[in-house]
mmCIF file with all atom_site columns, all heavy atoms in Angstrom:
data_model
loop_
_atom_site.group_PDB
_atom_site.id
_atom_site.type_symbol
_atom_site.label_atom_id
_atom_site.label_alt_id
_atom_site.label_comp_id
_atom_site.label_asym_id
_atom_site.label_entity_id
_atom_site.label_seq_id
_atom_site.pdbx_PDB_ins_code
_atom_site.Cartn_x
_atom_site.Cartn_y
_atom_site.Cartn_z
_atom_site.occupancy
_atom_site.B_iso_or_equiv
_atom_site.pdbx_formal_charge
_atom_site.auth_seq_id
_atom_site.auth_comp_id
_atom_site.auth_asym_id
_atom_site.auth_atom_id
_atom_site.pdbx_PDB_model_num
ATOM 1   N N   . ASP A 1 19 ? -2.032  10.007 -3.613  1.00 0.00 ? 819 ASP A N   1
ATOM 2   C CA  . ASP A 1 19 ? -2.511  8.680  -3.203  1.00 0.00 ? 819 ASP A CA  1
ATOM 3   C C   . ASP A 1 19 ? -3.783  8.250  -3.924  1.00 0.00 ? 819 ASP A C   1
ATOM 4   O O   . ASP A 1 19 ? -4.180  7.092  -3.842  1.00 0.00 ? 819 ASP A O   1
ATOM 5   C CB  . ASP A 1 19 ? -2.781  8.646  -1.691  1.00 0.00 ? 819 ASP A CB  1
ATOM 6   C CG  . ASP A 1 19 ? -1.522  8.645  -0.864  1.00 0.00 ? 819 ASP A CG  1
ATOM 7   O OD1 . ASP A 1 19 ? -0.460  8.219  -1.374  1.00 0.00 ? 819 ASP A OD1 1
ATOM 8   O OD2 . ASP A 1 19 ? -1.593  9.083  0.299   1.00 0.00 ? 819 ASP A OD2 1
ATOM 9   N N   . TRP A 1 20 ? -4.430  9.159  -4.636  1.00 0.00 ? 820 TRP A N   1
ATOM 10  C CA  . TRP A 1 20 ? -5.720  8.812  -5.218  1.00 0.00 ? 820 TRP A CA  1
ATOM 11  C C   . TRP A 1 20 ? -5.664  7.606  -6.156  1.00 0.00 ? 820 TRP A C   1
ATOM 12  O O   . TRP A 1 20 ? -6.601  6.798  -6.136  1.00 0.00 ? 820 TRP A O   1
ATOM 13  C CB  . TRP A 1 20 ? -6.387  10.030 -5.875  1.00 0.00 ? 820 TRP A CB  1
ATOM 14  C CG  . TRP A 1 20 ? -5.854  10.382 -7.227  1.00 0.00 ? 820 TRP A CG  1
ATOM 15  C CD1 . TRP A 1 20 ? -4.919  11.311 -7.520  1.00 0.00 ? 820 TRP A CD1 1
ATOM 16  C CD2 . TRP A 1 20 ? -6.235  9.783  -8.460  1.00 0.00 ? 820 TRP A CD2 1
ATOM 17  N NE1 . TRP A 1 20 ? -4.677  11.326 -8.865  1.00 0.00 ? 820 TRP A NE1 1
ATOM 18  C CE2 . TRP A 1 20 ? -5.477  10.399 -9.470  1.00 0.00 ? 820 TRP A CE2 1
ATOM 19  C CE3 . TRP A 1 20 ? -7.129  8.788  -8.832  1.00 0.00 ? 820 TRP A CE3 1
ATOM 20  C CZ2 . TRP A 1 20 ? -5.585  10.060 -10.810 1.00 0.00 ? 820 TRP A CZ2 1
ATOM 21  C CZ3 . TRP A 1 20 ? -7.245  8.428  -10.172 1.00 0.00 ? 820 TRP A CZ3 1
ATOM 22  C CH2 . TRP A 1 20 ? -6.491  9.070  -11.148 1.00 0.00 ? 820 TRP A CH2 1
ATOM 23  N N   . PRO A 1 21 ? -4.607  7.390  -6.978  1.00 0.00 ? 821 PRO A N   1
ATOM 24  C CA  . PRO A 1 21 ? -4.620  6.190  -7.823  1.00 0.00 ? 821 PRO A CA  1
ATOM 25  C C   . PRO A 1 21 ? -4.616  4.887  -7.008  1.00 0.00 ? 821 PRO A C   1
ATOM 26  O O   . PRO A 1 21 ? -5.280  3.915  -7.383  1.00 0.00 ? 821 PRO A O   1
ATOM 27  C CB  . PRO A 1 21 ? -3.342  6.318  -8.668  1.00 0.00 ? 821 PRO A CB  1
ATOM 28  C CG  . PRO A 1 21 ? -3.041  7.781  -8.689  1.00 0.00 ? 821 PRO A CG  1
ATOM 29  C CD  . PRO A 1 21 ? -3.452  8.252  -7.317  1.00 0.00 ? 821 PRO A CD  1
ATOM 30  N N   . ALA A 1 22 ? -3.888  4.867  -5.895  1.00 0.00 ? 822 ALA A N   1
ATOM 31  C CA  . ALA A 1 22 ? -3.874  3.673  -5.040  1.00 0.00 ? 822 ALA A CA  1
ATOM 32  C C   . ALA A 1 22 ? -5.241  3.467  -4.399  1.00 0.00 ? 822 ALA A C   1
ATOM 33  O O   . ALA A 1 22 ? -5.728  2.339  -4.295  1.00 0.00 ? 822 ALA A O   1
ATOM 34  C CB  . ALA A 1 22 ? -2.787  3.798  -3.973  1.00 0.00 ? 822 ALA A CB  1
ATOM 35  N N   . VAL A 1 23 ? -5.869  4.550  -3.963  1.00 0.00 ? 823 VAL A N   1
ATOM 36  C CA  . VAL A 1 23 ? -7.218  4.459  -3.405  1.00 0.00 ? 823 VAL A CA  1
ATOM 37  C C   . VAL A 1 23 ? -8.167  3.939  -4.488  1.00 0.00 ? 823 VAL A C   1
ATOM 38  O O   . VAL A 1 23 ? -9.002  3.062  -4.232  1.00 0.00 ? 823 VAL A O   1
ATOM 39  C CB  . VAL A 1 23 ? -7.690  5.828  -2.873  1.00 0.00 ? 823 VAL A CB  1
ATOM 40  C CG1 . VAL A 1 23 ? -9.170  5.817  -2.552  1.00 0.00 ? 823 VAL A CG1 1
ATOM 41  C CG2 . VAL A 1 23 ? -6.866  6.249  -1.664  1.00 0.00 ? 823 VAL A CG2 1
ATOM 42  N N   . HIS A 1 24 ? -8.020  4.459  -5.691  1.00 0.00 ? 824 HIS A N   1
ATOM 43  C CA  . HIS A 1 24 ? -8.908  4.069  -6.787  1.00 0.00 ? 824 HIS A CA  1
ATOM 44  C C   . HIS A 1 24 ? -8.778  2.578  -7.139  1.00 0.00 ? 824 HIS A C   1
ATOM 45  O O   . HIS A 1 24 ? -9.781  1.945  -7.487  1.00 0.00 ? 824 HIS A O   1
ATOM 46  C CB  . HIS A 1 24 ? -8.651  4.933  -8.021  1.00 0.00 ? 824 HIS A CB  1
ATOM 47  C CG  . HIS A 1 24 ? -9.615  4.668  -9.113  1.00 0.00 ? 824 HIS A CG  1
ATOM 48  N ND1 . HIS A 1 24 ? -10.951 4.992  -9.009  1.00 0.00 ? 824 HIS A ND1 1
ATOM 49  C CD2 . HIS A 1 24 ? -9.464  4.077  -10.322 1.00 0.00 ? 824 HIS A CD2 1
ATOM 50  C CE1 . HIS A 1 24 ? -11.570 4.618  -10.113 1.00 0.00 ? 824 HIS A CE1 1
ATOM 51  N NE2 . HIS A 1 24 ? -10.690 4.069  -10.923 1.00 0.00 ? 824 HIS A NE2 1
ATOM 52  N N   . ARG A 1 25 ? -7.581  2.040  -7.012  1.00 0.00 ? 825 ARG A N   1
ATOM 53  C CA  . ARG A 1 25 ? -7.395  0.621  -7.345  1.00 0.00 ? 825 ARG A CA  1
ATOM 54  C C   . ARG A 1 25 ? -8.311  -0.288 -6.533  1.00 0.00 ? 825 ARG A C   1
ATOM 55  O O   . ARG A 1 25 ? -8.790  -1.295 -7.039  1.00 0.00 ? 825 ARG A O   1
ATOM 56  C CB  . ARG A 1 25 ? -5.938  0.207  -7.155  1.00 0.00 ? 825 ARG A CB  1
ATOM 57  C CG  . ARG A 1 25 ? -5.055  0.571  -8.333  1.00 0.00 ? 825 ARG A CG  1
ATOM 58  C CD  . ARG A 1 25 ? -3.696  -0.101 -8.277  1.00 0.00 ? 825 ARG A CD  1
ATOM 59  N NE  . ARG A 1 25 ? -2.824  0.423  -7.241  1.00 0.00 ? 825 ARG A NE  1
ATOM 60  C CZ  . ARG A 1 25 ? -2.105  1.528  -7.344  1.00 0.00 ? 825 ARG A CZ  1
ATOM 61  N NH1 . ARG A 1 25 ? -2.161  2.252  -8.440  1.00 0.00 ? 825 ARG A NH1 1
ATOM 62  N NH2 . ARG A 1 25 ? -1.329  1.927  -6.358  1.00 0.00 ? 825 ARG A NH2 1
ATOM 63  N N   . TYR A 1 26 ? -8.563  0.063  -5.268  1.00 0.00 ? 826 TYR A N   1
ATOM 64  C CA  . TYR A 1 26 ? -9.490  -0.774 -4.501  1.00 0.00 ? 826 TYR A CA  1
ATOM 65  C C   . TYR A 1 26 ? -10.909 -0.199 -4.481  1.00 0.00 ? 826 TYR A C   1
ATOM 66  O O   . TYR A 1 26 ? -11.876 -0.940 -4.485  1.00 0.00 ? 826 TYR A O   1
ATOM 67  C CB  . TYR A 1 26 ? -8.980  -1.061 -3.085  1.00 0.00 ? 826 TYR A CB  1
ATOM 68  C CG  . TYR A 1 26 ? -8.849  0.115  -2.159  1.00 0.00 ? 826 TYR A CG  1
ATOM 69  C CD1 . TYR A 1 26 ? -9.944  0.614  -1.466  1.00 0.00 ? 826 TYR A CD1 1
ATOM 70  C CD2 . TYR A 1 26 ? -7.623  0.717  -1.943  1.00 0.00 ? 826 TYR A CD2 1
ATOM 71  C CE1 . TYR A 1 26 ? -9.815  1.686  -0.603  1.00 0.00 ? 826 TYR A CE1 1
ATOM 72  C CE2 . TYR A 1 26 ? -7.489  1.786  -1.070  1.00 0.00 ? 826 TYR A CE2 1
ATOM 73  C CZ  . TYR A 1 26 ? -8.589  2.265  -0.412  1.00 0.00 ? 826 TYR A CZ  1
ATOM 74  O OH  . TYR A 1 26 ? -8.462  3.315  0.446   1.00 0.00 ? 826 TYR A OH  1
ATOM 75  N N   . ALA A 1 27 ? -11.060 1.122  -4.507  1.00 0.00 ? 827 ALA A N   1
ATOM 76  C CA  . ALA A 1 27 ? -12.392 1.726  -4.409  1.00 0.00 ? 827 ALA A CA  1
ATOM 77  C C   . ALA A 1 27 ? -13.215 1.544  -5.683  1.00 0.00 ? 827 ALA A C   1
ATOM 78  O O   . ALA A 1 27 ? -14.434 1.696  -5.660  1.00 0.00 ? 827 ALA A O   1
ATOM 79  C CB  . ALA A 1 27 ? -12.275 3.201  -4.067  1.00 0.00 ? 827 ALA A CB  1
ATOM 80  N N   . ALA A 1 28 ? -12.572 1.187  -6.775  1.00 0.00 ? 828 ALA A N   1
ATOM 81  C CA  . ALA A 1 28 ? -13.279 0.953  -8.033  1.00 0.00 ? 828 ALA A CA  1
ATOM 82  C C   . ALA A 1 28 ? -13.838 -0.464 -8.129  1.00 0.00 ? 828 ALA A C   1
ATOM 83  O O   . ALA A 1 28 ? -14.591 -0.769 -9.059  1.00 0.00 ? 828 ALA A O   1
ATOM 84  C CB  . ALA A 1 28 ? -12.338 1.216  -9.212  1.00 0.00 ? 828 ALA A CB  1
ATOM 85  N N   . PRO A 1 40 ? -19.030 1.393  -6.894  1.00 0.00 ? 840 PRO A N   1
ATOM 86  C CA  . PRO A 1 40 ? -17.612 1.486  -7.227  1.00 0.00 ? 840 PRO A CA  1
ATOM 87  C C   . PRO A 1 40 ? -17.264 2.888  -7.727  1.00 0.00 ? 840 PRO A C   1
ATOM 88  O O   . PRO A 1 40 ? -18.026 3.503  -8.442  1.00 0.00 ? 840 PRO A O   1
ATOM 89  C CB  . PRO A 1 40 ? -17.408 0.455  -8.336  1.00 0.00 ? 840 PRO A CB  1
ATOM 90  C CG  . PRO A 1 40 ? -18.600 -0.431 -8.309  1.00 0.00 ? 840 PRO A CG  1
ATOM 91  C CD  . PRO A 1 40 ? -19.707 0.337  -7.668  1.00 0.00 ? 840 PRO A CD  1
ATOM 92  N N   . ASN A 1 41 ? -16.109 3.363  -7.302  1.00 0.00 ? 841 ASN A N   1
ATOM 93  C CA  . ASN A 1 41 ? -15.692 4.730  -7.590  1.00 0.00 ? 841 ASN A CA  1
ATOM 94  C C   . ASN A 1 41 ? -15.225 4.904  -9.025  1.00 0.00 ? 841 ASN A C   1
ATOM 95  O O   . ASN A 1 41 ? -14.563 4.029  -9.593  1.00 0.00 ? 841 ASN A O   1
ATOM 96  C CB  . ASN A 1 41 ? -14.531 5.140  -6.679  1.00 0.00 ? 841 ASN A CB  1
ATOM 97  C CG  . ASN A 1 41 ? -14.982 5.580  -5.320  1.00 0.00 ? 841 ASN A CG  1
ATOM 98  O OD1 . ASN A 1 41 ? -16.134 5.410  -4.947  1.00 0.00 ? 841 ASN A OD1 1
ATOM 99  N ND2 . ASN A 1 41 ? -14.074 6.159  -4.561  1.00 0.00 ? 841 ASN A ND2 1
ATOM 100 N N   . THR A 1 42 ? -15.525 6.089  -9.564  1.00 0.00 ? 842 THR A N   1
ATOM 101 C CA  . THR A 1 42 ? -14.867 6.545  -10.781 1.00 0.00 ? 842 THR A CA  1
ATOM 102 C C   . THR A 1 42 ? -13.533 7.161  -10.352 1.00 0.00 ? 842 THR A C   1
ATOM 103 O O   . THR A 1 42 ? -13.301 7.385  -9.150  1.00 0.00 ? 842 THR A O   1
ATOM 104 C CB  . THR A 1 42 ? -15.709 7.626  -11.489 1.00 0.00 ? 842 THR A CB  1
ATOM 105 O OG1 . THR A 1 42 ? -15.791 8.771  -10.627 1.00 0.00 ? 842 THR A OG1 1
ATOM 106 C CG2 . THR A 1 42 ? -17.104 7.116  -11.826 1.00 0.00 ? 842 THR A CG2 1
ATOM 107 N N   . GLU A 1 43 ? -12.673 7.467  -11.295 1.00 0.00 ? 843 GLU A N   1
ATOM 108 C CA  . GLU A 1 43 ? -11.418 8.146  -10.949 1.00 0.00 ? 843 GLU A CA  1
ATOM 109 C C   . GLU A 1 43 ? -11.702 9.468  -10.250 1.00 0.00 ? 843 GLU A C   1
ATOM 110 O O   . GLU A 1 43 ? -11.035 9.827  -9.281  1.00 0.00 ? 843 GLU A O   1
ATOM 111 C CB  . GLU A 1 43 ? -10.547 8.360  -12.193 1.00 0.00 ? 843 GLU A CB  1
ATOM 112 C CG  . GLU A 1 43 ? -9.918  7.088  -12.705 1.00 0.00 ? 843 GLU A CG  1
ATOM 113 C CD  . GLU A 1 43 ? -8.920  7.327  -13.827 1.00 0.00 ? 843 GLU A CD  1
ATOM 114 O OE1 . GLU A 1 43 ? -8.721  8.499  -14.248 1.00 0.00 ? 843 GLU A OE1 1
ATOM 115 O OE2 . GLU A 1 43 ? -8.325  6.339  -14.282 1.00 0.00 ? 843 GLU A OE2 1
ATOM 116 N N   . GLU A 1 44 ? -12.703 10.190 -10.727 1.00 0.00 ? 844 GLU A N   1
ATOM 117 C CA  . GLU A 1 44 ? -13.048 11.474 -10.117 1.00 0.00 ? 844 GLU A CA  1
ATOM 118 C C   . GLU A 1 44 ? -13.526 11.288 -8.674  1.00 0.00 ? 844 GLU A C   1
ATOM 119 O O   . GLU A 1 44 ? -13.184 12.082 -7.799  1.00 0.00 ? 844 GLU A O   1
ATOM 120 C CB  . GLU A 1 44 ? -14.113 12.203 -10.948 1.00 0.00 ? 844 GLU A CB  1
ATOM 121 C CG  . GLU A 1 44 ? -14.422 13.596 -10.446 1.00 0.00 ? 844 GLU A CG  1
ATOM 122 C CD  . GLU A 1 44 ? -13.198 14.524 -10.413 1.00 0.00 ? 844 GLU A CD  1
ATOM 123 O OE1 . GLU A 1 44 ? -12.281 14.382 -11.238 1.00 0.00 ? 844 GLU A OE1 1
ATOM 124 O OE2 . GLU A 1 44 ? -13.166 15.402 -9.518  1.00 0.00 ? 844 GLU A OE2 1
ATOM 125 N N   . ASP A 1 45 ? -14.306 10.240 -8.416  1.00 0.00 ? 845 ASP A N   1
ATOM 126 C CA  . ASP A 1 45 ? -14.749 9.952  -7.046  1.00 0.00 ? 845 ASP A CA  1
ATOM 127 C C   . ASP A 1 45 ? -13.545 9.752  -6.124  1.00 0.00 ? 845 ASP A C   1
ATOM 128 O O   . ASP A 1 45 ? -13.516 10.263 -5.001  1.00 0.00 ? 845 ASP A O   1
ATOM 129 C CB  . ASP A 1 45 ? -15.604 8.673  -6.998  1.00 0.00 ? 845 ASP A CB  1
ATOM 130 C CG  . ASP A 1 45 ? -16.936 8.803  -7.691  1.00 0.00 ? 845 ASP A CG  1
ATOM 131 O OD1 . ASP A 1 45 ? -17.471 9.921  -7.802  1.00 0.00 ? 845 ASP A OD1 1
ATOM 132 O OD2 . ASP A 1 45 ? -17.453 7.748  -8.123  1.00 0.00 ? 845 ASP A OD2 1
ATOM 133 N N   . SER A 1 46 ? -12.569 8.988  -6.594  1.00 0.00 ? 846 SER A N   1
ATOM 134 C CA  . SER A 1 46 ? -11.396 8.702  -5.765  1.00 0.00 ? 846 SER A CA  1
ATOM 135 C C   . SER A 1 46 ? -10.562 9.952  -5.531  1.00 0.00 ? 846 SER A C   1
ATOM 136 O O   . SER A 1 46 ? -10.073 10.178 -4.422  1.00 0.00 ? 846 SER A O   1
ATOM 137 C CB  . SER A 1 46 ? -10.541 7.602  -6.409  1.00 0.00 ? 846 SER A CB  1
ATOM 138 O OG  . SER A 1 46 ? -11.276 6.391  -6.472  1.00 0.00 ? 846 SER A OG  1
ATOM 139 N N   . ARG A 1 47 ? -10.398 10.778 -6.571  1.00 0.00 ? 847 ARG A N   1
ATOM 140 C CA  . ARG A 1 47 ? -9.677  12.047 -6.401  1.00 0.00 ? 847 ARG A CA  1
ATOM 141 C C   . ARG A 1 47 ? -10.392 12.937 -5.385  1.00 0.00 ? 847 ARG A C   1
ATOM 142 O O   . ARG A 1 47 ? -9.756  13.512 -4.498  1.00 0.00 ? 847 ARG A O   1
ATOM 143 C CB  . ARG A 1 47 ? -9.598  12.806 -7.734  1.00 0.00 ? 847 ARG A CB  1
ATOM 144 C CG  . ARG A 1 47 ? -8.496  12.371 -8.636  1.00 0.00 ? 847 ARG A CG  1
ATOM 145 C CD  . ARG A 1 47 ? -8.362  13.365 -9.803  1.00 0.00 ? 847 ARG A CD  1
ATOM 146 N NE  . ARG A 1 47 ? -7.759  12.710 -10.912 1.00 0.00 ? 847 ARG A NE  1
ATOM 147 C CZ  . ARG A 1 47 ? -8.395  12.260 -11.992 1.00 0.00 ? 847 ARG A CZ  1
ATOM 148 N NH1 . ARG A 1 47 ? -9.696  12.422 -12.123 1.00 0.00 ? 847 ARG A NH1 1
ATOM 149 N NH2 . ARG A 1 47 ? -7.744  11.659 -12.948 1.00 0.00 ? 847 ARG A NH2 1
ATOM 150 N N   . THR A 1 48 ? -11.708 13.037 -5.511  1.00 0.00 ? 848 THR A N   1
ATOM 151 C CA  . THR A 1 48 ? -12.501 13.867 -4.600  1.00 0.00 ? 848 THR A CA  1
ATOM 152 C C   . THR A 1 48 ? -12.384 13.370 -3.169  1.00 0.00 ? 848 THR A C   1
ATOM 153 O O   . THR A 1 48 ? -12.239 14.168 -2.236  1.00 0.00 ? 848 THR A O   1
ATOM 154 C CB  . THR A 1 48 ? -13.973 13.898 -5.051  1.00 0.00 ? 848 THR A CB  1
ATOM 155 O OG1 . THR A 1 48 ? -14.037 14.454 -6.367  1.00 0.00 ? 848 THR A OG1 1
ATOM 156 C CG2 . THR A 1 48 ? -14.828 14.710 -4.102  1.00 0.00 ? 848 THR A CG2 1
ATOM 157 N N   . TYR A 1 49 ? -12.424 12.057 -2.985  1.00 0.00 ? 849 TYR A N   1
ATOM 158 C CA  . TYR A 1 49 ? -12.312 11.485 -1.644  1.00 0.00 ? 849 TYR A CA  1
ATOM 159 C C   . TYR A 1 49 ? -10.984 11.872 -0.992  1.00 0.00 ? 849 TYR A C   1
ATOM 160 O O   . TYR A 1 49 ? -10.953 12.325 0.151   1.00 0.00 ? 849 TYR A O   1
ATOM 161 C CB  . TYR A 1 49 ? -12.452 9.968  -1.707  1.00 0.00 ? 849 TYR A CB  1
ATOM 162 C CG  . TYR A 1 49 ? -12.183 9.298  -0.387  1.00 0.00 ? 849 TYR A CG  1
ATOM 163 C CD1 . TYR A 1 49 ? -13.061 9.440  0.676   1.00 0.00 ? 849 TYR A CD1 1
ATOM 164 C CD2 . TYR A 1 49 ? -11.033 8.539  -0.196  1.00 0.00 ? 849 TYR A CD2 1
ATOM 165 C CE1 . TYR A 1 49 ? -12.802 8.837  1.903   1.00 0.00 ? 849 TYR A CE1 1
ATOM 166 C CE2 . TYR A 1 49 ? -10.777 7.928  1.020   1.00 0.00 ? 849 TYR A CE2 1
ATOM 167 C CZ  . TYR A 1 49 ? -11.663 8.080  2.063   1.00 0.00 ? 849 TYR A CZ  1
ATOM 168 O OH  . TYR A 1 49 ? -11.409 7.496  3.269   1.00 0.00 ? 849 TYR A OH  1
ATOM 169 N N   . VAL A 1 50 ? -9.889  11.719 -1.712  1.00 0.00 ? 850 VAL A N   1
ATOM 170 C CA  . VAL A 1 50 ? -8.572  12.066 -1.158  1.00 0.00 ? 850 VAL A CA  1
ATOM 171 C C   . VAL A 1 50 ? -8.498  13.565 -0.884  1.00 0.00 ? 850 VAL A C   1
ATOM 172 O O   . VAL A 1 50 ? -7.964  13.984 0.154   1.00 0.00 ? 850 VAL A O   1
ATOM 173 C CB  . VAL A 1 50 ? -7.433  11.586 -2.080  1.00 0.00 ? 850 VAL A CB  1
ATOM 174 C CG1 . VAL A 1 50 ? -6.087  12.137 -1.635  1.00 0.00 ? 850 VAL A CG1 1
ATOM 175 C CG2 . VAL A 1 50 ? -7.396  10.053 -2.118  1.00 0.00 ? 850 VAL A CG2 1
ATOM 176 N N   . GLU A 1 51 ? -9.053  14.387 -1.758  1.00 0.00 ? 851 GLU A N   1
ATOM 177 C CA  . GLU A 1 51 ? -9.072  15.839 -1.517  1.00 0.00 ? 851 GLU A CA  1
ATOM 178 C C   . GLU A 1 51 ? -9.851  16.172 -0.244  1.00 0.00 ? 851 GLU A C   1
ATOM 179 O O   . GLU A 1 51 ? -9.442  17.040 0.534   1.00 0.00 ? 851 GLU A O   1
ATOM 180 C CB  . GLU A 1 51 ? -9.666  16.568 -2.725  1.00 0.00 ? 851 GLU A CB  1
ATOM 181 C CG  . GLU A 1 51 ? -8.740  16.572 -3.925  1.00 0.00 ? 851 GLU A CG  1
ATOM 182 C CD  . GLU A 1 51 ? -9.411  17.071 -5.200  1.00 0.00 ? 851 GLU A CD  1
ATOM 183 O OE1 . GLU A 1 51 ? -10.580 17.526 -5.152  1.00 0.00 ? 851 GLU A OE1 1
ATOM 184 O OE2 . GLU A 1 51 ? -8.758  16.994 -6.260  1.00 0.00 ? 851 GLU A OE2 1
ATOM 185 N N   . GLN A 1 52 ? -10.966 15.467 -0.004  1.00 0.00 ? 852 GLN A N   1
ATOM 186 C CA  . GLN A 1 52 ? -11.742 15.692 1.226   1.00 0.00 ? 852 GLN A CA  1
ATOM 187 C C   . GLN A 1 52 ? -10.937 15.294 2.460   1.00 0.00 ? 852 GLN A C   1
ATOM 188 O O   . GLN A 1 52 ? -10.986 15.983 3.488   1.00 0.00 ? 852 GLN A O   1
ATOM 189 C CB  . GLN A 1 52 ? -13.052 14.910 1.177   1.00 0.00 ? 852 GLN A CB  1
ATOM 190 C CG  . GLN A 1 52 ? -14.035 15.473 0.180   1.00 0.00 ? 852 GLN A CG  1
ATOM 191 C CD  . GLN A 1 52 ? -15.235 14.569 -0.021  1.00 0.00 ? 852 GLN A CD  1
ATOM 192 O OE1 . GLN A 1 52 ? -15.222 13.387 0.321   1.00 0.00 ? 852 GLN A OE1 1
ATOM 193 N NE2 . GLN A 1 52 ? -16.289 15.119 -0.602  1.00 0.00 ? 852 GLN A NE2 1
#
Side-chain angles (χ1 to χ4, degrees):
D819 287 336
W820 79 263
V823 169
H824 186 68
R825 278 193 289 279
Y826 65 82
N841 278 11
T842 64
E843 287 187 358
E844 186 59 31
D845 292 334
S846 297
R847 277 190 204 102
T848 300
Y849 173 69
V850 171
E851 288 170 6
Q852 289 171 343

